């Protein structure tokens, strides 16, 4: 594959190196993006059973067969062994080179001084088809074809430079970047890749048990799979091993701390988030870490600390690290969390200002638009009712209208109804969300809380009758409660079938402020609980609303 002549840069020769296996759906797109940018393409095929090798050869690439040996570095090293260019760009089959002009890559090579080993290229990783969510990182992808340069690592392999730590230049000034499509694929393929990566990382740990990067990559793999209970202890161990090893440098270090904090947050271990933040050296603090820290502070009721952390996440541009970070954590996401903190404090103008700024960063996000609409139409307080259901169409027809009339927002989480429950709920004005039943009532309840937009939440069941002493009593109650009150007890009159049968009065914590980090716990007979380490909550009695339970 020969590039067209490029006047001043004709003396720069470039090789692109790929390793591939069963990539017939991607490789043509990758090779097309290299056409004219490089002088040769080397494709090392590690055992494809599809048309990958044939498609690469027909596109003009040099195809080399290599027996897979559970070692990505070995395959990468085989690819650069066949490269003849002065410079090597390594990419993957599910990536594309994006250039502002056909000569941009050559111009970048020509601009690098002799002491510079190569350049860092931005990698954009969309997480969905429309690109609304993505992770951005920087990697050393362009380097001089020098004797001794090699890859190391069975998985998440890294370039090693013969003369020690290399001097690298970011390629951003030349407008070059790589588009990686590996996360926008089938769940089955992602699961297979995850199983493979975990197996190789466990092999790496057996070979190098004191290498903190291996623990980090294993923990991050669990986090990507949303197995945060497994991710957290591995990432905490990564931090311990990293400290014991003398805090070695590495581009993964900021992400090691922020991913550990995120795993702790997802496991509702809010004090652990703050402990991880406290252990993070200043030079490795990232926007993602400050965002997660701010959310944890908010959940613990530390409002001043939450506001300071969230503001720093989006205002301090030095924290927007390109080490596998989520750009939303230094743009709109901390501002949305900030709006929710101000909203919980009753500071509607401040909440609206934060949300307006968030929309400057992400004007097309429906959740931000919905939040803005809710804030602009709210009188001074809003109540969300949260309900989980399954096959409850008759009860919903009977009792849901009372709930809709009493609150501003109704969330119905359907756990697998076979009847018309979901449609009935929508017809009556509720927002309906599907949730796969997992033998855990608390998990379903928590899913309903996640969608609540009101300053207050009342949880209720489909077979509950909401009784207000007078119309509008629930809203007036929430509006009148002082800021120091976080919730209310509600009397629940549990009716027993049969005329003349006695009923049982229960006192339940049914009404509480949103954004306090409260979660349900317990597979059955689930109970609300505050985050560990949070201040004691002030819950009061009231007589304005009660519930009749007909279950």
């Amino acid at each position: 594959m020969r590039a067209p002549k490029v006047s001043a840069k004709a003396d720069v020769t470039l090789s692109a190196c790929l390793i591939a296996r069963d990539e017939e759906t991607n490789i043509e797109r990758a090779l097309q993006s290299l056409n004219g940018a490089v002088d040769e393409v080397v494709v090392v095929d590690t055992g494809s059973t599809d048309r990958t090798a044939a498609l690469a050869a027909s596109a003009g690439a040099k195809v080399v067969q290599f027996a897979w040996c559970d070692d990505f570095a070995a395959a990468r090293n085989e690819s650069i062994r066949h490269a003849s260019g002065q410079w090597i760009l390594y990419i993957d089959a599910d990536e594309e080179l994006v250039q502002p002009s056909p000569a941009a890559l050559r111009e970048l090579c020509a601009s690098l001084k002799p002491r510079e080993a190569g350049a860092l290229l931005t990698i954009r990783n969309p997480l969905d088809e429309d690109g609304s969510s993505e992770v951005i990182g920087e990697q050393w992808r362009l380097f001089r074809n020098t004797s001794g340069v090699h890859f190391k690592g069975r998985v998440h392999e890294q370039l090693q430079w013969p003369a020690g730590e290399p001097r690298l230049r970011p390629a951003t000034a030349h407008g070059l970047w790589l588009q990686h499509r590996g996360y926008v694929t089938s769940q089955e393929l992602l699961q297979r890749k995850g199983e493979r990566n975990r197996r190789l990382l466990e092999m790496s740990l057996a070979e190098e048990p004191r290498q903190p990067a291996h623990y980090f990559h294993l923990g991050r793999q669990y986090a990507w799979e949303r197995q945060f209970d497994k991710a957290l202890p591995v990432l905490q161990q990564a931090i311990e091993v990293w400290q014991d090893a003398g805090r070695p440098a590495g581009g993964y270090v900021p992400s090691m701390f922020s991913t550990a904090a995120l795993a702790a947050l997802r496991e509702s271990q809010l004090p652990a988030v703050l402990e991880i933040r406290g252990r993070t050296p200043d030079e490795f603090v990232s926007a993602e870490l400050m965002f997660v820290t701010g959310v944890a502070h908010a959940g613990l009721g530390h409002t001043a600390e939450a506001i300071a952390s969230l503001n720093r996440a989006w205002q301090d541009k030095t924290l927007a690290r390109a080490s596998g970070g989520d750009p939303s954590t230094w743009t709109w996401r901390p501002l949305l969390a900030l709006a929710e903190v101000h909203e919980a404090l009753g500071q509607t103008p401040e909440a609206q200002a934060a949300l307006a700024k968030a929309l400057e960063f992400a004007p097309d996000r429906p959740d931000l638009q919905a939040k803005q609409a809710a804030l602009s139409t709210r009188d001074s307080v809003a109540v969300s009712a949260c309900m989980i259901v399954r096959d409850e169409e008759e009860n919903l027809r009977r009792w849901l209208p009372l709930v809709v009339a009493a609150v501003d927002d109704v969330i119905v989480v359907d756990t697998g109804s076979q009847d018309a429950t979901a449609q009935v709920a929508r017809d009556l004005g509720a927002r309906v969300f599907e949730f796969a039943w997992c033998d855990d009532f608390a998990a379903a309840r928590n899913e309903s809380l996640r969608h609540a937009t009101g300053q207050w939440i009342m949880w209720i069941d489909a077979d509950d009758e909401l009784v207000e002493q007078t119309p509008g009593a629930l809203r007036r109650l929430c509006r009148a409660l002082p800021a120091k009150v976080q919730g209310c007890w509600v009397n629940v009159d549990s009716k027993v079938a049969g005329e003349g049968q006695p009923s049982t009065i229960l006192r339940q914590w049914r009404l509480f402020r949103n954004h306090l980090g409260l979660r349900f716990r317990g597979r059955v007979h689930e109970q609300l609980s505050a985050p560990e380490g949070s201040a004691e909550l002030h819950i009061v009695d009231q007589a304005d609303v009660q519930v009749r339970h007909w279950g």
Side-chain angles (χ1 to χ4, degrees):
M1 183 179 291
R2 290 285 169 183
K5 293 292 183 181
V6 183
S7 60
K9 313 303 174 195
D11 56 339
V12 173
T13 58
L14 275 154
S15 298
C17 291
L18 296 82
I19 63 174
R21 182 173 183 174
D22 295 334
E23 291 282 4
E24 65 179 0
T25 59
N26 291 315
I27 196 163
E28 287 182 298
R29 185 170 53 218
L31 296 178
Q32 180 62 36
S33 75
L34 297 169
N35 193 26
V38 299
D39 299 288
E40 71 172 356
V41 177
V42 177
V43 174
V44 166
D45 189 288
T46 63
S48 295
T49 58
D50 63 3
R51 297 185 302 141
T52 296
L55 291 172
S58 65
K62 181 192 300 183
V63 179
V64 178
Q65 296 297 325
F66 181 79
W68 178 244
C69 56
D70 283 338
D71 192 327
F72 278 91
R76 295 276 186 207
N77 290 332
E78 179 68 8
S79 72
I80 63 177
R81 190 171 71 83
H82 293 275
S84 61
Q86 299 165 337
W87 291 87
I88 294 175
L89 171 76
Y90 86 89
I91 76 169
D92 289 331
D94 55 3
E95 294 177 338
E96 301 160 62
L97 175 66
V98 180
Q99 299 188 96
S101 67
L105 184 60
R106 295 177 188 276
E107 290 169 354
L108 171 60
C109 293
S111 72
L112 294 172
K113 295 179 173 56
R115 67 177 183 275
E116 292 177 312
L120 296 164
L121 267 67
T122 297
I123 319 292
R124 304 182 75 98
N125 302 274
L127 303 179
D128 45 34
E129 289 290 348
D130 61 8
S132 59
S133 298
E134 66 176 350
V135 171
I136 294 179
E138 275 189 336
Q139 291 182 359
W140 181 17
R141 292 299 194 94
L142 181 69
F143 57 97
R144 296 181 188 275
N145 191 358
T146 300
S147 176
V149 65
H150 66 284
F151 288 90
K152 182 180 179 181
R154 286 185 177 275
V155 64
H156 302 298
E157 63 280 8
Q158 300 293 315
L159 269 169
Q160 306 292 307
W161 195 249
E165 193 70 21
R167 292 191 181 185
L168 305 171
R169 186 193 301 181
T172 50
H174 290 264
L176 291 156
W177 54 281
L178 293 173
Q179 176 87 335
H180 176 233
R181 301 179 182 274
Y183 299 125
V184 186
T185 186
S186 70
Q187 285 301 312
E188 181 185 358
L189 180 57
L190 287 174
Q191 183 177 352
R192 289 205 306 270
K193 286 184 176 181
E195 291 170 354
R196 177 203 65 196
N197 288 352
R198 278 186 270 111
R199 179 173 58 83
L200 295 181
L201 285 165
E202 287 163 0
M203 292 172 65
S204 299
L205 278 169
E207 295 164 349
E208 297 179 296
R210 304 308 298 168
Q211 173 52 258
H214 297 332
Y215 291 96
F216 160 69
H217 288 301
L218 181 59
R220 187 175 62 172
Q221 181 64 47
Y222 282 128
W224 279 343
E225 296 172 10
R226 306 188 69 79
Q227 298 186 64
F228 297 107
D229 58 329
K230 295 181 178 179
L232 180 56
V234 175
L235 290 165
Q236 289 173 321
Q237 190 169 6
I239 295 171
E240 295 288 348
V241 174
W242 177 79
Q243 290 178 322
D244 291 344
R247 301 183 174 187
Y252 68 90
V253 177
S255 187
M256 177 179 68
F257 285 102
S258 64
T259 309
L262 176 62
L265 179 67
R266 294 304 180 103
E267 285 298 293
S268 299
Q269 297 189 30
L270 304 190
V273 174
L274 305 188
E275 188 269 337
I276 291 165
R277 168 65 185 94
R279 297 178 67 178
T280 309
D282 289 344
E283 63 268 30
F284 299 121
V285 173
S286 63
E288 184 173 45
L289 178 61
M290 293 311 301
F291 163 66
V292 173
T293 301
V295 174
H297 274 307
L300 291 167
H302 308 159
T303 53
E305 294 87 345
I307 291 170
S309 296
L310 293 169
N311 272 325
R312 189 180 176 200
W314 74 272
Q315 290 176 345
D316 188 344
K317 301 307 178 188
T318 65
L319 301 185
R321 298 182 183 275
S323 55
D326 179 353
S328 69
T329 62
W330 61 80
T331 54
W332 64 268
R333 199 177 292 277
L335 284 158
L336 174 58
L338 195 62
E340 291 172 342
V341 171
H342 285 302
E343 183 184 15
L345 294 171
Q347 300 169 344
T348 302
E350 290 85 349
Q352 290 172 328
L355 197 61
K357 189 66 181 178
L359 281 161
E360 290 181 18
F361 288 112
D364 298 325
R365 285 197 64 88
D367 51 349
L368 296 182
Q369 295 168 348
K371 188 71 174 178
Q372 184 184 53
L375 278 174
S376 63
T377 58
R378 183 165 297 152
D379 48 5
S380 63
V381 68
V383 186
S384 292
C386 291
M387 181 183 298
I388 63 174
V389 297
R390 184 170 185 173
D391 296 333
E392 292 279 8
E393 61 175 305
E394 293 305 321
N395 278 323
L396 289 181
R397 288 192 176 98
R398 186 174 185 182
W399 304 123
L400 188 56
L402 297 176
V403 178
V404 171
V407 303
D408 305 278
D409 177 37
V410 179
I411 297 97
V412 170
V413 167
D414 189 293
T415 63
S417 294
Q418 300 297 309
D419 62 4
T421 291
Q423 190 57 52
V424 169
R426 291 189 185 96
D427 292 344
L428 291 172
R431 294 190 292 133
V432 179
F433 300 90
E434 302 296 330
F435 181 77
W437 178 244
C438 56
D439 285 338
D440 192 328
F441 279 92
R445 294 274 186 210
N446 291 331
E447 176 68 9
S448 71
L449 302 188
R450 193 170 69 84
H451 297 284
T453 60
Q455 294 178 356
W456 288 84
I457 295 175
M458 183 168 187
W459 68 266
I460 196 162
D461 289 329
D463 50 6
D464 285 343
E465 176 188 0
L466 179 61
V467 180
E468 296 184 290
Q469 294 300 321
T470 57
L474 179 56
R475 289 190 183 92
R476 288 194 299 272
L477 168 65
C478 293
R479 190 180 301 117
L481 289 168
K484 66 179 181 180
V485 173
Q486 284 86 36
C488 292
W489 299 106
V490 175
N491 286 336
V492 180
D493 184 1
S494 293
K495 298 296 183 182
V496 179
E499 187 173 349
Q501 293 295 319
S503 59
T504 301
I505 304 295
L506 303 175
R507 184 168 169 264
Q508 292 185 328
W509 182 15
R510 289 282 192 117
L511 183 65
F512 54 95
R513 290 188 188 272
N514 199 355
H515 314 304
L516 295 177
L518 302 178
R519 305 278 289 174
F520 284 93
R521 298 187 186 278
R523 286 186 176 273
V524 66
H525 303 303
E526 65 281 6
Q527 299 292 319
L528 264 176
S529 63
E532 180 185 349
S534 60
E536 184 177 352
L537 299 178
H538 187 31
I539 308 170
V540 299
D541 289 302
Q542 55 77 42
D544 296 277
V545 296
Q546 63 174 311
V547 167
R548 295 192 187 108
H549 178 65
W550 296 95

